[in-house]
Amino acid sequence: MRDYKRYDTWKVAHELVKEIYIISENFPKSELFGLTSQIRRAAVSIPTNIAEGCGRSTDKEFARFIEISIGSTNETEYLLLLSCDLNFTSPDTIADLNAKLNLTRQKLIQLRKKLLNNN
């Protein structure tokens, strides 16, 4: 079984989640069960699916969980855009987080390619 904590991709995604938790603390309390919850769940899904995929027995199965993580990066990116449009956070904060999201997405795509090329 693979150790997800050894993957740079997981490490970057984990750091991103912690930052999203911090910034979403400042969202309006009325959004606790709305946007705050949604953005946190989307972000947490990225490293969670990497971890779950590491428990799978084949590279193809692992690659499927990486695909789900990629989808979660897209969802998180949109939710960050929405939070900025609603003035819950600043464009500068979003730009920084989007750079980290893009790095995460690139690493996920590279890992997925590597896994699928091993078959």
Side-chain angles (χ1 to χ4, degrees):
M1 181 166 26
R2 301 168 176 100
D3 180 4
Y4 64 89
K5 293 179 287 257
R6 296 184 67 191
Y7 284 86
D8 287 339
T9 309
W10 178 85
K11 291 174 186 175
V12 170
H14 179 66
E15 291 304 315
L16 176 68
V17 170
K18 292 192 301 186
E19 289 185 44
I20 287 174
Y21 262 76
I22 290 167
I23 67 123
S24 63
E25 278 292 317
N26 298 320
F27 289 5
K29 296 303 172 205
S30 63
E31 286 297 324
L32 185 60
F33 300 107
L35 187 57
T36 304
S37 175
Q38 185 71 24
I39 198 168
R40 287 177 173 183
R41 284 184 289 123
V44 166
S45 179
I46 302 166
T48 301
N49 276 291
I50 296 168
E52 186 172 352
C54 281
R56 300 302 166 148
S57 57
T58 67
D59 287 350
K60 186 176 179 182
E61 288 177 299
F62 187 13
R64 178 68 187 122
F65 282 88
I66 298 302
E67 288 177 17
I68 295 166
S69 289
I70 292 167
S72 295
T73 63
N74 294 337
E75 181 181 3
T76 303
E77 181 179 40
Y78 166 69
L79 293 168
L80 286 170
L81 171 67
L82 179 60
S83 71
C84 186
D85 287 352
L86 295 172
N87 296 315
F88 295 168
T89 192
S90 71
D92 289 341
T93 300
I94 296 307
D96 181 52
L97 289 170
N98 276 334
K100 291 174 182 166
L101 260 175
N102 287 331
L103 174 63
T104 303
R105 186 182 296 112
Q106 288 172 331
K107 287 184 171 292
L108 287 165
I109 290 167
Q110 290 169 352
L111 178 56
R112 182 180 175 278
K113 284 180 185 176
K114 181 180 177 187
L115 290 167
L116 293 177
N117 286 335
N118 286 340
N119 289 328

